[in-house]
Amino acid sequence: MKVLILNGSPRKGNTLTAIKAIRKGLEERPDAADIEVTQIDAAGKEIIPCKACNACGCMSRCIFADDSPEINAAVEEADAIIFATPVYWWGITAQLKLVIDKFYARASKFSGTGKKIGTVVIGEAELDDAEYEIIQKQFQCISDYLGWNIVFAKSISANKPKDLAADEQMLAELEKLGAEL
Ligand SMILES: Cc1cc2nc3c(=O)[nH]c(=O)nc-3n(C[C@H](O)[C@H](O)[C@H](O)COP(=O)(O)O)c2cc1C
């Protein structure tokens, strides 16, 4: 199984902690030798915002030179994708949104592939805030549109960079998500 982790956070904080816990769960599985994990940190990539020129409709890749073709290739190859993002202004981060917008160039290739999808959404607000519902719904709509299957959708309340690292119970839950993916 090829697992792709798309990290939407620009800092070494809660999202990275969550990703590490999920990776630990994946690494400790009995079938770990058959699992290949790739992590892409969106903040470290050069992505030109989509200009809706529709040239990708002919070329199946963005006409502008950026890192989106390599990311889309990783998406295409993946059996499972984990989207991990902080909440920024009731939404996903701009860094992750830039990556997702470029799915447009390969949507027909991604479509109907039944990829397993996991989402991790981390915000400062308590879990009853609408932001988690809004973002998880966005991932649900994207997955439905592409014929992908959400296998977990985790929302976490944490703010300072080390908050989640101190929450042993949540870390154990995240490890289990990796173990059961
Ligand atoms: C620009 C910006 C906007 C934010 N907007 C929200 C928000 O709307 N709701 C919220 O709960 N937290 C918000 N936060 C807080 C982050 O979601 C929170 O600190 C999260 O733990 C950051 O994840 P990280 O440690 O992986 O970077 C915002 C933080 C930043 C920097």
Side-chain angles (χ1 to χ4, degrees), residues 7 9-17 85-91 122-126 129 131-132 157-163:
N7 171 21
S9 178
R11 73 174 184 179
K12 289 186 171 64
N14 298 305
T15 308
L16 198 60
T17 300
T85 183
V87 181
Y88 279 7
W89 290 99
W90 285 264
I122 308 182
E124 174 183 3
E126 296 298 324
D129 193 287
E131 64 192 24
Y132 302 104
S157 175
N159 186 28
K160 294 193 198 91
K162 291 190 176 160
D163 279 357

PDB file of all heavy atoms in Angstrom, residues 7 9-17 85-91 122-126 129 131-132 157-163, ligand 1:
ATOM      1  N   ASN A   7       0.810  17.413   4.041  1.00  0.00           N
ATOM      2  CA  ASN A   7       0.869  18.241   5.246  1.00  0.00           C
ATOM      3  C   ASN A   7       0.619  19.710   4.890  1.00  0.00           C
ATOM      4  O   ASN A   7       1.394  20.314   4.147  1.00  0.00           O
ATOM      5  CB  ASN A   7       2.262  18.060   5.887  1.00  0.00           C
ATOM      6  CG  ASN A   7       2.519  19.032   7.026  1.00  0.00           C
ATOM      7  OD1 ASN A   7       1.577  19.575   7.616  1.00  0.00           O
ATOM      8  ND2 ASN A   7       3.787  19.254   7.341  1.00  0.00           N
ATOM      9  N   SER A   9       0.552  22.268   7.076  1.00  0.00           N
ATOM     10  CA  SER A   9       1.074  23.255   8.044  1.00  0.00           C
ATOM     11  C   SER A   9       2.460  23.763   7.662  1.00  0.00           C
ATOM     12  O   SER A   9       3.327  22.982   7.280  1.00  0.00           O
ATOM     13  CB  SER A   9       1.162  22.647   9.446  1.00  0.00           C
ATOM     14  OG  SER A   9       1.720  23.608  10.336  1.00  0.00           O
ATOM     15  N   PRO A  10       2.674  25.062   7.806  1.00  0.00           N
ATOM     16  CA  PRO A  10       4.011  25.602   7.524  1.00  0.00           C
ATOM     17  C   PRO A  10       4.951  25.531   8.722  1.00  0.00           C
ATOM     18  O   PRO A  10       6.123  25.904   8.603  1.00  0.00           O
ATOM     19  CB  PRO A  10       3.718  27.057   7.171  1.00  0.00           C
ATOM     20  CG  PRO A  10       2.506  27.400   7.983  1.00  0.00           C
ATOM     21  CD  PRO A  10       1.701  26.119   8.094  1.00  0.00           C
ATOM     22  N   ARG A  11       4.453  25.108   9.901  1.00  0.00           N
ATOM     23  CA  ARG A  11       5.351  25.102  11.063  1.00  0.00           C
ATOM     24  C   ARG A  11       5.467  23.700  11.651  1.00  0.00           C
ATOM     25  O   ARG A  11       4.660  22.813  11.372  1.00  0.00           O
ATOM     26  CB  ARG A  11       4.863  26.091  12.128  1.00  0.00           C
ATOM     27  CG  ARG A  11       3.635  25.663  12.880  1.00  0.00           C
ATOM     28  CD  ARG A  11       3.300  26.634  14.023  1.00  0.00           C
ATOM     29  NE  ARG A  11       2.147  26.141  14.784  1.00  0.00           N
ATOM     30  CZ  ARG A  11       1.634  26.737  15.837  1.00  0.00           C
ATOM     31  NH1 ARG A  11       2.129  27.880  16.271  1.00  0.00           N
ATOM     32  NH2 ARG A  11       0.606  26.213  16.480  1.00  0.00           N
ATOM     33  N   LYS A  12       6.503  23.531  12.470  1.00  0.00           N
ATOM     34  CA  LYS A  12       6.694  22.250  13.153  1.00  0.00           C
ATOM     35  C   LYS A  12       5.866  22.289  14.428  1.00  0.00           C
ATOM     36  O   LYS A  12       6.374  22.679  15.486  1.00  0.00           O
ATOM     37  CB  LYS A  12       8.178  22.020  13.458  1.00  0.00           C
ATOM     38  CG  LYS A  12       9.002  21.733  12.225  1.00  0.00           C
ATOM     39  CD  LYS A  12      10.431  21.362  12.600  1.00  0.00           C
ATOM     40  CE  LYS A  12      11.239  20.864  11.426  1.00  0.00           C
ATOM     41  NZ  LYS A  12      11.450  21.855  10.371  1.00  0.00           N
ATOM     42  N   GLY A  13       4.594  21.941  14.317  1.00  0.00           N
ATOM     43  CA  GLY A  13       3.697  22.042  15.467  1.00  0.00           C
ATOM     44  C   GLY A  13       2.777  20.849  15.554  1.00  0.00           C
ATOM     45  O   GLY A  13       3.204  19.702  15.386  1.00  0.00           O
ATOM     46  N   ASN A  14       1.505  21.138  15.790  1.00  0.00           N
ATOM     47  CA  ASN A  14       0.538  20.071  16.074  1.00  0.00           C
ATOM     48  C   ASN A  14       0.275  19.146  14.881  1.00  0.00           C
ATOM     49  O   ASN A  14       0.139  17.935  15.054  1.00  0.00           O
ATOM     50  CB  ASN A  14      -0.766  20.705  16.553  1.00  0.00           C
ATOM     51  CG  ASN A  14      -0.541  21.485  17.836  1.00  0.00           C
ATOM     52  OD1 ASN A  14      -0.042  20.946  18.821  1.00  0.00           O
ATOM     53  ND2 ASN A  14      -0.879  22.771  17.835  1.00  0.00           N
ATOM     54  N   THR A  15       0.207  19.730  13.696  1.00  0.00           N
ATOM     55  CA  THR A  15      -0.093  18.898  12.520  1.00  0.00           C
ATOM     56  C   THR A  15       1.034  17.893  12.298  1.00  0.00           C
ATOM     57  O   THR A  15       0.783  16.708  12.036  1.00  0.00           O
ATOM     58  CB  THR A  15      -0.293  19.791  11.272  1.00  0.00           C
ATOM     59  OG1 THR A  15      -1.257  20.794  11.599  1.00  0.00           O
ATOM     60  CG2 THR A  15      -0.788  18.996  10.088  1.00  0.00           C
ATOM     61  N   LEU A  16       2.264  18.361  12.436  1.00  0.00           N
ATOM     62  CA  LEU A  16       3.408  17.464  12.268  1.00  0.00           C
ATOM     63  C   LEU A  16       3.408  16.385  13.352  1.00  0.00           C
ATOM     64  O   LEU A  16       3.714  15.220  13.085  1.00  0.00           O
ATOM     65  CB  LEU A  16       4.713  18.271  12.292  1.00  0.00           C
ATOM     66  CG  LEU A  16       5.923  17.559  11.718  1.00  0.00           C
ATOM     67  CD1 LEU A  16       5.708  17.171  10.258  1.00  0.00           C
ATOM     68  CD2 LEU A  16       7.155  18.457  11.827  1.00  0.00           C
ATOM     69  N   THR A  17       3.044  16.773  14.564  1.00  0.00           N
ATOM     70  CA  THR A  17       2.954  15.789  15.660  1.00  0.00           C
ATOM     71  C   THR A  17       1.913  14.719  15.321  1.00  0.00           C
ATOM     72  O   THR A  17       2.144  13.522  15.524  1.00  0.00           O
ATOM     73  CB  THR A  17       2.563  16.495  16.981  1.00  0.00           C
ATOM     74  OG1 THR A  17       3.570  17.463  17.284  1.00  0.00           O
ATOM     75  CG2 THR A  17       2.449  15.512  18.130  1.00  0.00           C
ATOM     76  N   THR A  85      -4.202  19.212   8.131  1.00  0.00           N
ATOM     77  CA  THR A  85      -4.137  20.673   8.021  1.00  0.00           C
ATOM     78  C   THR A  85      -4.541  21.373   9.312  1.00  0.00           C
ATOM     79  O   THR A  85      -5.455  20.935  10.009  1.00  0.00           O
ATOM     80  CB  THR A  85      -5.063  21.166   6.878  1.00  0.00           C
ATOM     81  OG1 THR A  85      -4.941  22.594   6.747  1.00  0.00           O
ATOM     82  CG2 THR A  85      -6.522  20.833   7.132  1.00  0.00           C
ATOM     83  N   PRO A  86      -3.865  22.473   9.616  1.00  0.00           N
ATOM     84  CA  PRO A  86      -4.383  23.362  10.654  1.00  0.00           C
ATOM     85  C   PRO A  86      -5.613  24.093  10.112  1.00  0.00           C
ATOM     86  O   PRO A  86      -5.809  24.161   8.895  1.00  0.00           O
ATOM     87  CB  PRO A  86      -3.249  24.376  10.870  1.00  0.00           C
ATOM     88  CG  PRO A  86      -2.055  23.846  10.170  1.00  0.00           C
ATOM     89  CD  PRO A  86      -2.568  22.933   9.096  1.00  0.00           C
ATOM     90  N   VAL A  87      -6.412  24.638  11.010  1.00  0.00           N
ATOM     91  CA  VAL A  87      -7.510  25.520  10.604  1.00  0.00           C
ATOM     92  C   VAL A  87      -6.956  26.934  10.497  1.00  0.00           C
ATOM     93  O   VAL A  87      -6.319  27.431  11.419  1.00  0.00           O
ATOM     94  CB  VAL A  87      -8.649  25.528  11.655  1.00  0.00           C
ATOM     95  CG1 VAL A  87      -9.786  26.439  11.188  1.00  0.00           C
ATOM     96  CG2 VAL A  87      -9.156  24.122  11.933  1.00  0.00           C
ATOM     97  N   TYR A  88      -7.146  27.548   9.356  1.00  0.00           N
ATOM     98  CA  TYR A  88      -6.823  28.974   9.180  1.00  0.00           C
ATOM     99  C   TYR A  88      -8.117  29.667   8.748  1.00  0.00           C
ATOM    100  O   TYR A  88      -8.648  29.371   7.659  1.00  0.00           O
ATOM    101  CB  TYR A  88      -5.759  29.165   8.091  1.00  0.00           C
ATOM    102  CG  TYR A  88      -4.310  28.928   8.512  1.00  0.00           C
ATOM    103  CD1 TYR A  88      -3.968  28.413   9.759  1.00  0.00           C
ATOM    104  CD2 TYR A  88      -3.266  29.224   7.636  1.00  0.00           C
ATOM    105  CE1 TYR A  88      -2.638  28.198  10.118  1.00  0.00           C
ATOM    106  CE2 TYR A  88      -1.935  29.025   7.998  1.00  0.00           C
ATOM    107  CZ  TYR A  88      -1.633  28.506   9.234  1.00  0.00           C
ATOM    108  OH  TYR A  88      -0.309  28.291   9.581  1.00  0.00           O
ATOM    109  N   TRP A  89      -8.619  30.523   9.559  1.00  0.00           N
ATOM    110  CA  TRP A  89      -9.824  31.290   9.204  1.00  0.00           C
ATOM    111  C   TRP A  89     -10.966  30.377   8.763  1.00  0.00           C
ATOM    112  O   TRP A  89     -11.531  30.529   7.693  1.00  0.00           O
ATOM    113  CB  TRP A  89      -9.514  32.352   8.146  1.00  0.00           C
ATOM    114  CG  TRP A  89      -8.689  33.465   8.695  1.00  0.00           C
ATOM    115  CD1 TRP A  89      -7.355  33.630   8.576  1.00  0.00           C
ATOM    116  CD2 TRP A  89      -9.154  34.567   9.488  1.00  0.00           C
ATOM    117  NE1 TRP A  89      -6.947  34.750   9.235  1.00  0.00           N
ATOM    118  CE2 TRP A  89      -8.036  35.345   9.804  1.00  0.00           C
ATOM    119  CE3 TRP A  89     -10.414  34.962   9.961  1.00  0.00           C
ATOM    120  CZ2 TRP A  89      -8.119  36.505  10.585  1.00  0.00           C
ATOM    121  CZ3 TRP A  89     -10.499  36.115  10.722  1.00  0.00           C
ATOM    122  CH2 TRP A  89      -9.359  36.872  11.028  1.00  0.00           C
ATOM    123  N   TRP A  90     -11.285  29.410   9.593  1.00  0.00           N
ATOM    124  CA  TRP A  90     -12.403  28.477   9.358  1.00  0.00           C
ATOM    125  C   TRP A  90     -12.197  27.612   8.115  1.00  0.00           C
ATOM    126  O   TRP A  90     -13.133  26.967   7.651  1.00  0.00           O
ATOM    127  CB  TRP A  90     -13.760  29.214   9.277  1.00  0.00           C
ATOM    128  CG  TRP A  90     -14.232  29.642  10.622  1.00  0.00           C
ATOM    129  CD1 TRP A  90     -15.111  28.969  11.441  1.00  0.00           C
ATOM    130  CD2 TRP A  90     -13.854  30.820  11.340  1.00  0.00           C
ATOM    131  NE1 TRP A  90     -15.269  29.645  12.619  1.00  0.00           N
ATOM    132  CE2 TRP A  90     -14.524  30.794  12.581  1.00  0.00           C
ATOM    133  CE3 TRP A  90     -13.007  31.901  11.069  1.00  0.00           C
ATOM    134  CZ2 TRP A  90     -14.371  31.796  13.544  1.00  0.00           C
ATOM    135  CZ3 TRP A  90     -12.859  32.895  12.031  1.00  0.00           C
ATOM    136  CH2 TRP A  90     -13.533  32.839  13.236  1.00  0.00           C
ATOM    137  N   GLY A  91     -10.995  27.573   7.580  1.00  0.00           N
ATOM    138  CA  GLY A  91     -10.755  26.754   6.388  1.00  0.00           C
ATOM    139  C   GLY A  91      -9.445  25.993   6.491  1.00  0.00           C
ATOM    140  O   GLY A  91      -8.746  26.056   7.516  1.00  0.00           O
ATOM    141  N   ILE A 122      -6.801  20.437  12.583  1.00  0.00           N
ATOM    142  CA  ILE A 122      -6.404  20.885  13.921  1.00  0.00           C
ATOM    143  C   ILE A 122      -6.578  22.390  14.059  1.00  0.00           C
ATOM    144  O   ILE A 122      -5.993  23.167  13.299  1.00  0.00           O
ATOM    145  CB  ILE A 122      -4.933  20.516  14.219  1.00  0.00           C
ATOM    146  CG1 ILE A 122      -4.711  19.021  13.950  1.00  0.00           C
ATOM    147  CG2 ILE A 122      -4.580  20.875  15.657  1.00  0.00           C
ATOM    148  CD1 ILE A 122      -3.312  18.530  14.245  1.00  0.00           C
ATOM    149  N   GLY A 123      -7.405  22.793  15.011  1.00  0.00           N
ATOM    150  CA  GLY A 123      -7.620  24.214  15.248  1.00  0.00           C
ATOM    151  C   GLY A 123      -7.517  24.552  16.730  1.00  0.00           C
ATOM    152  O   GLY A 123      -7.516  23.668  17.587  1.00  0.00           O
ATOM    153  N   GLU A 124      -7.466  25.838  16.967  1.00  0.00           N
ATOM    154  CA  GLU A 124      -7.398  26.324  18.352  1.00  0.00           C
ATOM    155  C   GLU A 124      -8.752  26.174  19.049  1.00  0.00           C
ATOM    156  O   GLU A 124      -8.832  25.933  20.255  1.00  0.00           O
ATOM    157  CB  GLU A 124      -6.992  27.805  18.311  1.00  0.00           C
ATOM    158  CG  GLU A 124      -7.003  28.495  19.650  1.00  0.00           C
ATOM    159  CD  GLU A 124      -6.650  29.980  19.530  1.00  0.00           C
ATOM    160  OE1 GLU A 124      -6.463  30.472  18.404  1.00  0.00           O
ATOM    161  OE2 GLU A 124      -6.557  30.627  20.577  1.00  0.00           O
ATOM    162  N   ALA A 125      -9.823  26.310  18.275  1.00  0.00           N
ATOM    163  CA  ALA A 125     -11.171  26.334  18.854  1.00  0.00           C
ATOM    164  C   ALA A 125     -11.576  24.977  19.423  1.00  0.00           C
ATOM    165  O   ALA A 125     -10.998  23.944  19.057  1.00  0.00           O
ATOM    166  CB  ALA A 125     -12.168  26.758  17.784  1.00  0.00           C
ATOM    167  N   GLU A 126     -12.567  25.005  20.310  1.00  0.00           N
ATOM    168  CA  GLU A 126     -13.129  23.757  20.843  1.00  0.00           C
ATOM    169  C   GLU A 126     -13.795  22.990  19.694  1.00  0.00           C
ATOM    170  O   GLU A 126     -14.171  23.565  18.667  1.00  0.00           O
ATOM    171  CB  GLU A 126     -14.157  24.071  21.942  1.00  0.00           C
ATOM    172  CG  GLU A 126     -13.568  24.751  23.176  1.00  0.00           C
ATOM    173  CD  GLU A 126     -12.522  23.908  23.898  1.00  0.00           C
ATOM    174  OE1 GLU A 126     -12.691  22.670  23.947  1.00  0.00           O
ATOM    175  OE2 GLU A 126     -11.536  24.476  24.386  1.00  0.00           O
ATOM    176  N   ASP A 129     -16.927  23.965  17.511  1.00  0.00           N
ATOM    177  CA  ASP A 129     -16.908  25.080  16.560  1.00  0.00           C
ATOM    178  C   ASP A 129     -17.244  24.566  15.146  1.00  0.00           C
ATOM    179  O   ASP A 129     -16.826  23.475  14.755  1.00  0.00           O
ATOM    180  CB  ASP A 129     -15.516  25.732  16.550  1.00  0.00           C
ATOM    181  CG  ASP A 129     -15.519  27.076  15.844  1.00  0.00           C
ATOM    182  OD1 ASP A 129     -15.611  27.093  14.600  1.00  0.00           O
ATOM    183  OD2 ASP A 129     -15.435  28.098  16.545  1.00  0.00           O
ATOM    184  N   GLU A 131     -16.070  25.263  12.410  1.00  0.00           N
ATOM    185  CA  GLU A 131     -14.945  25.131  11.466  1.00  0.00           C
ATOM    186  C   GLU A 131     -14.608  23.677  11.126  1.00  0.00           C
ATOM    187  O   GLU A 131     -14.264  23.371   9.981  1.00  0.00           O
ATOM    188  CB  GLU A 131     -13.702  25.842  12.011  1.00  0.00           C
ATOM    189  CG  GLU A 131     -13.167  25.248  13.295  1.00  0.00           C
ATOM    190  CD  GLU A 131     -12.122  26.145  13.954  1.00  0.00           C
ATOM    191  OE1 GLU A 131     -12.127  27.357  13.702  1.00  0.00           O
ATOM    192  OE2 GLU A 131     -11.308  25.627  14.732  1.00  0.00           O
ATOM    193  N   TYR A 132     -14.725  22.796  12.132  1.00  0.00           N
ATOM    194  CA  TYR A 132     -14.363  21.396  11.875  1.00  0.00           C
ATOM    195  C   TYR A 132     -15.371  20.747  10.920  1.00  0.00           C
ATOM    196  O   TYR A 132     -15.001  20.002  10.013  1.00  0.00           O
ATOM    197  CB  TYR A 132     -14.270  20.625  13.197  1.00  0.00           C
ATOM    198  CG  TYR A 132     -13.260  21.245  14.140  1.00  0.00           C
ATOM    199  CD1 TYR A 132     -13.674  22.003  15.241  1.00  0.00           C
ATOM    200  CD2 TYR A 132     -11.898  21.118  13.908  1.00  0.00           C
ATOM    201  CE1 TYR A 132     -12.761  22.601  16.092  1.00  0.00           C
ATOM    202  CE2 TYR A 132     -10.969  21.716  14.752  1.00  0.00           C
ATOM    203  CZ  TYR A 132     -11.412  22.455  15.846  1.00  0.00           C
ATOM    204  OH  TYR A 132     -10.491  23.054  16.672  1.00  0.00           O
ATOM    205  N   SER A 157      -8.560  19.711  18.759  1.00  0.00           N
ATOM    206  CA  SER A 157      -8.376  21.067  19.263  1.00  0.00           C
ATOM    207  C   SER A 157      -7.006  21.182  19.926  1.00  0.00           C
ATOM    208  O   SER A 157      -6.723  20.479  20.905  1.00  0.00           O
ATOM    209  CB  SER A 157      -9.482  21.410  20.274  1.00  0.00           C
ATOM    210  OG  SER A 157      -9.232  22.681  20.831  1.00  0.00           O
ATOM    211  N   ALA A 158      -6.139  22.010  19.357  1.00  0.00           N
ATOM    212  CA  ALA A 158      -4.786  22.236  19.906  1.00  0.00           C
ATOM    213  C   ALA A 158      -4.279  23.539  19.311  1.00  0.00           C
ATOM    214  O   ALA A 158      -4.599  23.869  18.172  1.00  0.00           O
ATOM    215  CB  ALA A 158      -3.855  21.084  19.512  1.00  0.00           C
ATOM    216  N   ASN A 159      -3.487  24.274  20.073  1.00  0.00           N
ATOM    217  CA  ASN A 159      -3.075  25.587  19.568  1.00  0.00           C
ATOM    218  C   ASN A 159      -1.566  25.801  19.572  1.00  0.00           C
ATOM    219  O   ASN A 159      -0.937  25.905  18.519  1.00  0.00           O
ATOM    220  CB  ASN A 159      -3.785  26.675  20.377  1.00  0.00           C
ATOM    221  CG  ASN A 159      -3.521  28.063  19.808  1.00  0.00           C
ATOM    222  OD1 ASN A 159      -3.277  28.202  18.599  1.00  0.00           O
ATOM    223  ND2 ASN A 159      -3.568  29.079  20.643  1.00  0.00           N
ATOM    224  N   LYS A 160      -0.962  25.864  20.782  1.00  0.00           N
ATOM    225  CA  LYS A 160       0.493  26.097  20.811  1.00  0.00           C
ATOM    226  C   LYS A 160       1.197  24.902  20.179  1.00  0.00           C
ATOM    227  O   LYS A 160       0.688  23.776  20.247  1.00  0.00           O
ATOM    228  CB  LYS A 160       0.948  26.306  22.257  1.00  0.00           C
ATOM    229  CG  LYS A 160       0.390  27.573  22.894  1.00  0.00           C
ATOM    230  CD  LYS A 160       1.114  27.892  24.194  1.00  0.00           C
ATOM    231  CE  LYS A 160       0.306  28.865  25.035  1.00  0.00           C
ATOM    232  NZ  LYS A 160      -0.612  28.200  25.994  1.00  0.00           N
ATOM    233  N   PRO A 161       2.358  25.124  19.568  1.00  0.00           N
ATOM    234  CA  PRO A 161       3.000  24.051  18.788  1.00  0.00           C
ATOM    235  C   PRO A 161       3.159  22.723  19.526  1.00  0.00           C
ATOM    236  O   PRO A 161       3.122  21.669  18.911  1.00  0.00           O
ATOM    237  CB  PRO A 161       4.366  24.638  18.436  1.00  0.00           C
ATOM    238  CG  PRO A 161       4.182  26.107  18.497  1.00  0.00           C
ATOM    239  CD  PRO A 161       3.121  26.381  19.531  1.00  0.00           C
ATOM    240  N   LYS A 162       3.318  22.778  20.868  1.00  0.00           N
ATOM    241  CA  LYS A 162       3.552  21.515  21.588  1.00  0.00           C
ATOM    242  C   LYS A 162       2.299  20.980  22.283  1.00  0.00           C
ATOM    243  O   LYS A 162       2.367  19.995  23.033  1.00  0.00           O
ATOM    244  CB  LYS A 162       4.679  21.701  22.601  1.00  0.00           C
ATOM    245  CG  LYS A 162       6.013  21.898  21.903  1.00  0.00           C
ATOM    246  CD  LYS A 162       7.179  21.846  22.864  1.00  0.00           C
ATOM    247  CE  LYS A 162       8.473  21.954  22.083  1.00  0.00           C
ATOM    248  NZ  LYS A 162       9.604  22.375  22.863  1.00  0.00           N
ATOM    249  N   ASP A 163       1.147  21.598  22.062  1.00  0.00           N
ATOM    250  CA  ASP A 163      -0.088  21.163  22.744  1.00  0.00           C
ATOM    251  C   ASP A 163      -0.409  19.692  22.483  1.00  0.00           C
ATOM    252  O   ASP A 163      -0.652  18.922  23.409  1.00  0.00           O
ATOM    253  CB  ASP A 163      -1.290  22.010  22.292  1.00  0.00           C
ATOM    254  CG  ASP A 163      -1.351  23.351  23.011  1.00  0.00           C
ATOM    255  OD1 ASP A 163      -0.507  23.596  23.902  1.00  0.00           O
ATOM    256  OD2 ASP A 163      -2.249  24.154  22.677  1.00  0.00           O
TER     257      ASP A 163
HETATM  258  C1  LIG B   1      -3.377  32.543  10.049  1.00  0.00           C
HETATM  259  C2  LIG B   1      -3.967  31.684  11.128  1.00  0.00           C
HETATM  260  C3  LIG B   1      -5.340  31.552  11.178  1.00  0.00           C
HETATM  261  C4  LIG B   1      -5.932  30.738  12.154  1.00  0.00           C
HETATM  262  N1  LIG B   1      -7.287  30.598  12.155  1.00  0.00           N
HETATM  263  C5  LIG B   1      -7.863  29.763  13.048  1.00  0.00           C
HETATM  264  C6  LIG B   1      -9.262  29.543  13.032  1.00  0.00           C
HETATM  265  O1  LIG B   1     -10.015  30.098  12.225  1.00  0.00           O
HETATM  266  N2  LIG B   1      -9.784  28.697  13.951  1.00  0.00           N
HETATM  267  C7  LIG B   1      -8.999  28.041  14.872  1.00  0.00           C
HETATM  268  O2  LIG B   1      -9.535  27.269  15.663  1.00  0.00           O
HETATM  269  N3  LIG B   1      -7.655  28.216  14.892  1.00  0.00           N
HETATM  270  C8  LIG B   1      -7.085  29.047  14.005  1.00  0.00           C
HETATM  271  N4  LIG B   1      -5.716  29.216  14.007  1.00  0.00           N
HETATM  272  C9  LIG B   1      -4.903  28.453  14.994  1.00  0.00           C
HETATM  273  C10 LIG B   1      -4.316  27.163  14.409  1.00  0.00           C
HETATM  274  O3  LIG B   1      -5.265  26.401  13.712  1.00  0.00           O
HETATM  275  C11 LIG B   1      -3.747  26.313  15.534  1.00  0.00           C
HETATM  276  O4  LIG B   1      -2.755  27.033  16.225  1.00  0.00           O
HETATM  277  C12 LIG B   1      -3.163  24.988  15.049  1.00  0.00           C
HETATM  278  O5  LIG B   1      -2.815  24.204  16.168  1.00  0.00           O
HETATM  279  C13 LIG B   1      -1.937  25.209  14.183  1.00  0.00           C
HETATM  280  O6  LIG B   1      -1.450  23.966  13.743  1.00  0.00           O
HETATM  281  P1  LIG B   1       0.144  23.698  13.597  1.00  0.00           P
HETATM  282  O7  LIG B   1       0.699  23.712  14.984  1.00  0.00           O
HETATM  283  O8  LIG B   1       0.263  22.389  12.943  1.00  0.00           O
HETATM  284  O9  LIG B   1       0.681  24.784  12.746  1.00  0.00           O
HETATM  285  C14 LIG B   1      -5.108  30.046  13.091  1.00  0.00           C
HETATM  286  C15 LIG B   1      -3.720  30.209  13.028  1.00  0.00           C
HETATM  287  C16 LIG B   1      -3.151  31.014  12.066  1.00  0.00           C
HETATM  288  C17 LIG B   1      -1.653  31.168  12.012  1.00  0.00           C
END
